[in-house]
Amino acid sequence: WTQQFDAIFSDLEMPRVGGFDLLTELNDREESRTMPVAIVTTRNEPEIQERALQLGADDFLAKPVTPTTVQNALNKLAILS
């Protein structure tokens, strides 16, 4: 990594790498294992949410998100108060 981040917000469905693959890769890298990760997606099925959380997501936000939703996620992840 060339930059430091406080958290990662990622969609599950992306052009080059899927969100589940990203979660797996983040867990495989020691320097990112403790990085808070929030998944933001239209896929709100319970099994999708459960899989994301099992792979290391710290929060799960269903689209569409609002500024309040994002602020609540940041608070939950202890990024902002």
Side-chain angles (χ1 to χ4, degrees):
W1 306 85
T2 58
Q3 296 180 328
Q4 289 290 330
F5 299 95
D6 293 325
I8 296 172
F9 282 67
S10 176
D11 202 324
L12 284 180
E13 298 169 347
M14 300 180 286
R16 296 181 195 199
V17 63
F20 293 132
D21 295 330
L22 175 64
L23 286 168
T24 299
E25 186 171 328
L26 290 170
N27 284 325
D28 287 345
R29 294 175 178 232
E30 187 171 331
E31 66 271 13
S32 61
R33 279 189 199 131
T34 59
M35 174 83 56
V37 179
I39 296 297
V40 183
T41 184
T42 58
R43 303 282 314 269
N44 199 25
E45 302 91 353
E47 57 274 2
I48 298 293
Q49 183 173 355
E50 182 178 325
R51 182 169 179 214
L53 295 172
Q54 286 175 345
L55 289 172
D58 298 292
D59 204 359
F60 193 91
L61 293 85
K63 289 181 182 179
V65 297
T66 64
T68 301
T69 305
V70 173
Q71 183 64 53
N72 289 341
L74 291 170
N75 291 341
K76 180 179 178 181
L77 300 172
I79 303 303
L80 297 175
S81 52

